Amino acid sequence: MAGNDNWINSYLDAILDAGKAAIGGDRPSLLLRERGHFSPARYFVEEVITGYDETDLYKTWLRANAMRSPQERNTRLENMTWRIWNLARKKKEFEKEEACRMSKRLPETEKTRADATADMSEDLFEGEKGEDAGDPSVAYGDSTTGSSPKTSSIDKLYIVLISLHGLVRGENMELGRDSDTGGQVKYVVELAKALSSSPGVYRVDLLTRQILAPNFDRSYGEPAELLVSTSGKNSKQERGENSGAYIIRIPFGPKDKYLAKEQLWPFIQEFVDGALSHIVRMSKAIGEEIGFRHPVWPAVIHGHYASAGIAAALLSGALNLPMAFTGHFLGKDKLEGLLKQGRQTREQINMTYKIMCRIEAEELSLDASEIVIASTRQEIEEQWNLYDGFEVILARKLRARVKRGANCYGRFMPRMVIIPPGVEFGHIIHDFDMDGEEENPSPASEDPPIWSQIMRFFTNPRKPMILAVARPYPEKNITTLVKAFGECRPLRELANLTLIIGNREAISKMHNMSAAVLTSVLTLIDEYDLYGQVAYPKHHKHSEVPDIYRLAARTKGAFVNVAYFEQFGVTLIEAAMNGLPIIATKNGAPVEINQVLNNGLLVDPHDQNAIADALYKLLSDKQLWSRCRENGLKNIHQFSWPEHCKNYLSRILTLGPRSPAIGDREEQSNTPISRRKHIIVISVDSVSKEDLVRIIRNAIEVIHTQNMSDSTGFVLSTSLTISEIYSLLVPAGMLPTDFDAFICNSGSNIYYPSYSGETPNNSKITFALDQNHQSHIEYRWGGEGLRKYLVKWATSVVERKGRTERQIIFEDPEHSSTYCLAFRVVNPNHLPPLKELRKLMRIQSLRCNALYNHSATRLSVVPIHASRSQALRYLCIRWGIDVPNVAVLVGESGDSDYEELLGGLHRTIILKGEFNISLNRIHTVRRYPLQDVVALDSSNIIGIEGYSTDDLKSALQQMGMLAQ
């Protein structure tokens, strides 16, 4: 212990010095060794450990200082120092591992990108050569800058928005109650209201989760809620021109439990099935309401955030409807930020945030979306550009070729559209002139109650108010703002500071991260003795936020947002709307907002001196303040909801008309599957052909012996071709007509068996291909361009033995079809992980669904919307089958689409036993654990040992498919 005293004390001195320098306000740069003030120990404490949550270390330090025994004090201090050292060591290890991973990944990605553009290199024209590289419309899609696109004639649109997480309601939103109830909730509710008031829109549904958990208001459990527009009425609705905007709450997941967004993934397919039922029912109802003879299907299904994105993709595929997507806060950006902090490994981050599910959902959203709506150009070029499925240069080339009508060789890219969020103008400032003085003040008017709750904190409430509105999270950088205010005496003398950082009952009951931020803020207020100069009310209502902006404007104050990075910053728009100039971070969307509004100054959020200087300059220069205020009020109309909706609808109307296929009465009367009450789907992949035949025979026998053949139908769902199915069933003495339908080629073909003659005795069995299903899945199918690239790729997949190489994947025309490209695998042990193939396809902008099947001896590549689970949804929609009346039989493992068969509202029966063939090669390369995306403890899933008739009968009875 004695030998470490000097070493320990040097770090303790550094900690103490850092604290004194912070309070003194005159801190020299630690990076300038030549000034003679450089301290390695102090540099280590201040710079190396930056970004760690030091709350626990600080508490340890306080406890150590309180120790009377020198031995006990030294022990605590030594432990604390070792902890600091260990954190820094771990950070360096994480950074080294990540740098190594990236060094391998980047060259591979760049080569693949080059391959994608090489196919098109022989036919460039001026737009592709870079002449219009600065034009967003040529670069990757559309921008709302300049003149708005022409709006076509629109009438009676039905629009579906999806936002699954958080507490969503129309009035008295509990913003800040938890990390999931924030700006996105406010955004989607206001968007739904604004769209429903737009010309040509008949109805808007905002789909979210129904919450019946204790300690949550009953309003979150209401199945439907009518949204009232800002003005309190919807004139269109009063005239009968529209049905309005509604929050529709779909039950999924545990009924009595509120789930954070990271916990929603296993239940997404339940939501999809529930949403399908609502959309089909509502589309038919709207058609009847407005006098159409057919359903009015949604013009678009628009997902907000990753979880809603994958839900929208599945709904879009099942219903053959256009999809739009807004990412809000992207997973790759968050992952890179967390890795840079060095606190956690990639595996630990995934365990906490389920980040790989989130990123895969965002990639799938890029695959499926026709339009991706971004708030800023920066979001596209710096955030979306991180994804495999999007790249600015390739997007520019493809966009230019589409405009020209040139061949894109099977490649597709979603159209990126820049539409800034809007704000409600119901509370726009009217009672002050451009200098901030009241116009015709009414002596009878009373100040809003929230004003007195804020003003009671101040010794001199007449000083200009610096206002910050943010949730208490580290990335919002509130502590740096307080330091900037506390360390600048002229600023303290000039202004007060108001912090609206969520609602709280007690700090001890807050989330650890939020509690740590708030504790740090209160500690800084005490250290700088800012009592009487800083307000931090415990409670405020969402409806009172405009009043808080108005109070700051009345005092000729400023709004400040110094987040390390701001995705958009709706609060900046709200501040401008209320006549409040801004000081904002230079990282992210505020740069583009300020270019439009020109109503404030941008600062480096890491430089507290720059923050203090900007605030002092804005508040002390009255001409600058008035000019910023005037500019904001003059230009704010560009961020109005009507302007947003105008741009939004003009893009939606460019989407090609698509609609689902629903069998008419004549079709349904001639199709056996439409007359069934229950459907049993056999999707067992992990067994031999002999065992599969026995499972089929036993399942059919159970239904026959229960005299339920008329009410219960069978569907075989497999990666086999229709000819392979025939060869499987007929030699075993079974008739294909025992089945109502066959889902073949991994969901890319659906066949209906029937007899060609009037009676079975003088007829042969025919198989009718469902052409409507083909039109459902052809979306973004690469066709011949995709096939050629896959053939080229297959030649690169080799088995190496010494100096010899042997190709292991070969094209398999015999088992291919129009929408299924099959490849034969001769050595599954040398197959590349499926996630790598999917990554490769996305980098190439080839939108498809690649699957390993037949115990990894076959590779099937099908359209992005083709899968066995989606084919089942298609059958339910087309023939009016209730999904809960479907039972799916699967093995203990299966083809690489196995996990999709487990989730949803249908019943799942897992057949367990030694007859299952190990398919670990297919599933060990999954990007995330199965339990992350499937609720294996769901009441809709049961497992049984064996597949005898008694086993199957018992399972079907347990699932409610057979009478007990």
Side-chain angles (χ1 to χ4, degrees):
M1 177 69 191
N4 290 327
D5 280 348
N6 291 336
W7 183 66
I8 294 170
N9 288 335
S10 68
Y11 284 102
L12 298 179
D13 290 340
I15 293 172
L16 292 172
D17 288 344
K20 291 173 183 176
I23 297 173
D26 184 22
R27 179 187 298 178
S29 171
L30 298 178
L31 299 177
L32 301 179
R33 186 183 294 269
E34 62 272 17
R35 291 185 179 180
H37 298 292
F38 183 82
S39 163
R42 182 172 162 195
Y43 174 83
F44 175 77
V45 171
E46 289 191 346
E47 302 296 332
V48 176
I49 307 172
T50 297
Y52 288 102
D53 182 0
E54 299 176 52
T55 306
D56 54 346
L57 297 177
Y58 177 71
K59 290 177 180 177
T60 303
W61 163 245
L62 291 180
R63 287 196 296 269
N65 265 340
M67 300 294 172
R68 294 187 179 182
S69 165
Q71 181 66 30
E72 190 172 359
R73 179 176 181 272
N74 284 344
T75 301
R76 277 192 175 273
L77 296 181
E78 183 180 30
N79 288 338
M80 183 175 73
T81 306
W82 273 106
R83 290 174 68 188
I84 294 172
W85 174 83
N86 187 51
L87 285 173
R89 181 181 62 82
K90 284 172 62 179
K91 180 177 181 180
K92 287 183 179 179
E93 289 178 355
F94 296 161
E95 289 175 344
K96 184 177 179 181
E97 290 174 3
E98 191 62 18
C100 181
R101 190 186 69 83
M102 291 301 293
S103 67
K104 294 180 179 178
R105 175 188 170 191
L106 288 175
E108 295 172 357
T109 301
E110 292 304 316
K111 182 181 182 303
T112 308
R113 296 280 189 212
D115 290 343
T117 56
D119 286 345
M120 300 178 285
S121 61
E122 78 289 349
D123 191 24
L124 298 180
F125 68 104
E126 292 305 310
E128 293 175 273
K129 292 177 182 177
E131 183 180 280
D132 301 311
D135 180 359
S137 67
V138 175
Y140 33 67
D142 294 317
S143 170
T144 59
T145 56
S147 60
S148 298
K150 294 180 180 179
T151 305
S152 306
S153 174
I154 55 177
D155 189 37
K156 308 299 184 184
L157 293 183
Y158 174 33
I159 294 173
V160 172
L161 311 176
I162 306 174
S163 183
L164 299 182
H165 64 260
L167 301 167
V168 183
R169 65 183 180 189
E171 303 297 327
N172 300 319
M173 286 182 273
E174 298 183 84
L175 302 182
R177 173 165 175 172
D178 68 350
S179 60
D180 292 346
T181 309
Q184 180 181 326
V185 170
K186 183 173 185 292
Y187 173 91
V188 293
V189 170
E190 291 184 359
L191 174 60
K193 292 179 182 179
L195 282 173
S196 71
S197 299
S198 300
V201 177
Y202 185 77
R203 179 180 173 112
V204 179
D205 282 345
L206 170 56
L207 308 187
T208 190
R209 182 172 182 248
Q210 185 183 47
I211 298 167
L212 300 170
N215 303 322
F216 289 89
D217 192 85
R218 275 203 252 168
S219 60
Y220 299 117
E222 292 295 325
E225 175 187 347
L226 174 64
L227 291 173
V228 180
S229 64
T230 307
S231 61
K233 64 180 181 179
N234 185 329
S235 58
K236 287 175 56 187
Q237 190 173 8
E238 290 182 348
R239 295 195 301 268
E241 295 178 9
N242 81 351
S243 178
Y246 295 82
I247 297 174
I248 303 298
R249 299 184 177 91
I250 306 291
F252 66 100
K255 292 183 179 180
D256 59 347
K257 189 176 181 181
Y258 174 73
L259 298 177
K261 59 179 175 288
E262 293 82 9
Q263 300 171 305
L264 290 175
W265 297 106
F267 310 104
I268 298 296
Q269 298 221 47
E270 285 184 31
F271 166 80
V272 171
D273 289 339
L276 274 175
S277 176
H278 168 79
I279 292 171
V280 171
R281 185 172 62 252
M282 186 53 58
S283 296
K284 293 178 179 178
I286 294 174
E288 293 176 1
E289 285 176 16
I290 63 180
F292 285 9
R293 294 184 177 180
H294 54 78
V296 175
W297 297 104
V300 69
I301 298 176
H302 188 167
H304 293 266
Y305 190 79
S307 53
I310 193 169
L314 292 173
L315 288 166
S316 169
L319 290 166
N320 192 31
L321 295 173
M323 173 189 168
F325 181 62
T326 301
H328 290 276
F329 185 33
L330 299 180
K332 279 205 172 181
D333 198 53
K334 183 179 183 72
L335 174 61
E336 292 207 348
L338 291 170
L339 288 170
K340 286 177 182 177
Q341 290 179 7
R343 296 184 196 175
Q344 297 172 295
T345 65
R346 182 177 290 263
E347 291 71 25
Q348 290 169 333
I349 292 170
N350 188 49
M351 188 176 297
T352 302
Y353 298 102
K354 302 297 184 285
I355 203 78
M356 300 315 296
C357 290
R358 179 170 165 182
I359 291 171
E360 178 61 22
E362 289 160 344
E363 292 280 14
L364 181 59
S365 297
L366 284 173
D367 289 337
S369 295
E370 295 201 30
I371 286 180
V372 174
I373 296 176
S375 299
T376 64
R377 184 165 184 162
Q378 180 276 339
E379 180 183 341
I380 296 172
E381 295 180 348
E382 296 183 21
Q383 296 182 56
W384 277 119
N385 212 42
L386 295 171
Y387 284 76
D388 300 329
F390 181 79
E391 201 267 334
V392 169
I393 295 175
L394 183 56
R396 173 169 59 84
K397 289 182 177 291
L398 289 172
R399 181 78 172 151
R401 295 181 75 85
V402 169
K403 286 185 175 181
R404 186 187 176 204
N407 188 358
C408 290
Y409 302 94
R411 291 172 170 82
F412 300 89
M413 193 75 78
R415 181 152 49 112
M416 291 284 174
V417 177
I418 302 172
I419 309 179
V423 291
E424 289 187 334
F425 277 17
H427 302 287
I428 193 167
I429 191 165
H430 294 295
D431 55 344
F432 303 118
D433 64 19
M434 285 300 181
D435 292 323
E437 303 296 335
E438 291 192 42
E439 293 180 343
N440 304 318
S442 171
S445 63
E446 295 183 0
D447 292 340
I450 191 66
W451 286 15
S452 62
Q453 294 177 35
I454 292 173
M455 289 300 194
R456 66 187 174 88
F457 283 89
F458 300 135
T459 303
N460 181 2
R462 294 184 177 273
K463 292 196 294 184
M465 178 195 295
I466 300 167
L467 173 63
V469 179
R471 287 178 286 175
Y473 297 152
E475 59 265 27
K476 296 300 182 183
N477 203 24
I478 300 297
T479 53
T480 299
L481 172 62
V482 177
K483 289 178 182 179
F485 182 77
E487 294 185 16
C488 182
R489 184 175 296 278
L491 184 60
R492 294 203 311 269
E493 293 173 350
L494 175 64
N496 293 319
L497 176 62
T498 295
L499 304 174
I500 306 298
I501 45 179
N503 289 284
R504 64 187 183 279
E505 293 298 331
I507 295 176
S508 60
K509 296 180 180 179
M510 297 175 69
H511 185 276
N512 290 343
M513 187 167 55
S514 299
V517 171
L518 195 55
T519 300
S520 297
V521 167
L522 297 178
T523 301
L524 290 169
I525 290 171
D526 186 69
E527 287 183 4
Y528 294 121
D529 195 16
L530 298 178
Y531 298 106
Q533 296 175 280
V534 180
Y536 42 94
K538 293 181 68 171
H539 300 285
H540 71 280
K541 297 177 182 177
H542 171 63
S543 59
E544 293 176 322
V545 173
D547 293 326
I548 300 173
Y549 288 124
R550 290 176 55 237
L551 175 60
R554 171 177 281 191
T555 66
K556 296 188 177 180
F559 180 79
V560 60
N561 177 339
V562 289
Y564 292 123
F565 179 88
E566 185 58 65
Q567 181 76 15
F568 184 74
V570 172
T571 52
L572 298 172
I573 309 299
E574 293 174 339
M577 183 180 68
N578 287 280
L580 199 56
I582 65 169
I583 301 294
T585 176
K586 68 175 186 178
N587 297 334
V591 175
E592 296 177 45
I593 293 175
N594 199 50
Q595 286 174 352
V596 175
L597 296 179
N598 191 24
N599 70 328
L601 304 173
L602 302 176
V603 295
D604 180 353
H606 299 278
D607 188 341
Q608 67 187 53
N609 291 329
I611 295 170
D613 291 345
L615 284 166
Y616 185 82
K617 178 180 180 180
L618 182 60
L619 297 176
S620 61
D621 186 337
K622 297 303 180 184
Q623 289 185 342
L624 174 63
W625 187 90
S626 296
R627 188 164 62 250
C628 288
R629 170 190 171 84
E630 181 177 354
N631 289 343
L633 290 170
K634 180 175 63 177
N635 299 320
I636 191 64
H637 70 277
Q638 297 188 52
F639 294 99
S640 69
W641 275 120
E643 187 71 15
H644 178 100
C645 292
K646 178 183 177 182
N647 288 312
Y648 180 93
L649 292 171
S650 69
R651 269 66 179 198
I652 297 306
L653 290 171
T654 65
L655 305 180
R658 293 156 56 192
S659 62
I662 294 183
D664 56 30
R665 291 182 179 179
E666 182 178 352
E667 283 182 310
Q668 292 190 357
S669 64
N670 294 327
T671 308
I673 193 171
S674 64
R675 301 192 295 270
R676 310 298 191 190
K677 181 180 179 182
H678 296 102
I679 298 292
I680 297 175
V681 181
I682 300 175
S683 298
V684 185
D685 310 317
S686 57
V687 298
S688 66
K689 289 184 178 181
E690 292 75 18
D691 280 317
L692 178 57
V693 167
R694 294 187 191 103
I695 291 168
I696 293 171
R697 183 179 285 115
N698 290 349
I700 293 174
E701 183 180 338
V702 168
I703 297 304
H704 284 175
T705 56
Q706 295 292 309
N707 295 319
M708 296 183 63
S709 299
D710 291 338
S711 62
T712 303
F714 286 90
V715 172
L716 181 60
S717 178
T718 175
S719 58
L720 299 172
T721 65
I722 191 64
S723 60
E724 287 177 308
I725 290 174
Y726 187 88
S727 299
L728 173 76
L729 298 178
V730 174
M734 289 184 290
L735 294 173
T737 49
D738 288 336
F739 289 86
D740 290 338
F742 296 104
I743 297 173
C744 313
N745 295 95
S746 298
S748 61
N749 294 117
I750 295 177
Y751 287 93
Y752 305 102
S754 64
Y755 291 104
S756 59
E758 296 180 0
T759 63
N761 294 331
N762 62 356
S763 303
K764 68 175 183 178
I765 296 174
T766 62
F767 297 93
L769 177 65
D770 192 325
Q771 297 291 347
N772 286 308
H773 176 252
Q774 300 280 280
S775 67
H776 262 235
I777 64 172
E778 69 179 358
Y779 175 70
R780 286 194 172 165
W781 178 237
E784 183 63 14
L786 173 61
R787 188 195 70 81
K788 286 181 177 179
Y789 184 82
L790 286 168
V791 170
K792 177 182 174 182
W793 165 80
T795 62
S796 69
V797 183
V798 297
E799 174 188 358
R800 290 182 174 86
K801 290 185 177 180
R803 295 183 178 182
T804 62
E805 294 182 347
R806 184 168 67 101
Q807 184 176 341
I808 64 169
I809 300 180
F810 299 88
E811 186 178 10
D812 186 1
E814 180 186 352
H815 297 106
S816 297
S817 64
T818 305
Y819 295 105
C820 178
L821 301 175
F823 289 80
R824 179 170 49 89
V825 180
V826 297
N827 190 345
N829 293 325
H830 291 270
L831 273 179
L834 190 60
K835 62 184 180 182
E836 293 301 323
L837 176 56
R838 288 177 174 171
K839 173 187 174 75
L840 182 68
M841 294 296 102
R842 283 168 173 156
I843 291 173
Q844 288 282 330
S845 294
L846 294 165
R847 312 297 174 173
C848 56
N849 187 10
L851 305 161
Y852 288 145
N853 44 52
H854 293 265
S855 302
T857 62
R858 187 182 296 176
L859 166 66
S860 298
V861 179
V862 298
I864 192 63
H865 284 319
S867 71
R868 288 186 291 170
S869 61
Q870 286 292 81
L872 178 56
R873 289 193 174 99
Y874 167 86
L875 287 174
C876 290
I877 296 166
R878 179 157 172 72
W879 304 115
I881 301 165
D882 290 334
V883 176
N885 290 339
V886 176
V888 179
L889 274 59
V890 299
E892 289 187 88
S893 60
D895 296 347
S896 48
D897 62 348
Y898 173 75
E899 63 194 40
E900 301 171 20
L901 298 168
L902 301 179
L905 293 180
H906 65 258
R907 317 302 181 185
T908 301
I909 301 172
I910 301 176
L911 307 182
K912 300 180 178 181
E914 294 181 356
F915 52 86
N916 280 278
I917 302 169
S918 176
L919 299 179
N920 287 338
R921 179 62 196 164
I922 292 180
H923 297 288
T924 52
V925 294
R926 185 182 279 115
R927 295 184 71 173
Y928 34 76
L930 182 63
Q931 59 268 25
D932 282 2
V933 291
V934 177
L936 295 172
D937 58 350
S938 167
S939 60
N940 287 337
I941 301 176
I942 64 169
I944 62 173
E945 294 291 337
Y947 55 76
S948 68
T949 53
D950 288 341
D951 296 327
L952 294 175
K953 178 181 176 181
S954 175
L956 291 169
Q957 287 176 335
Q958 187 176 338
M959 287 298 191
M961 306 286 286
L962 294 178
Q964 295 284 349

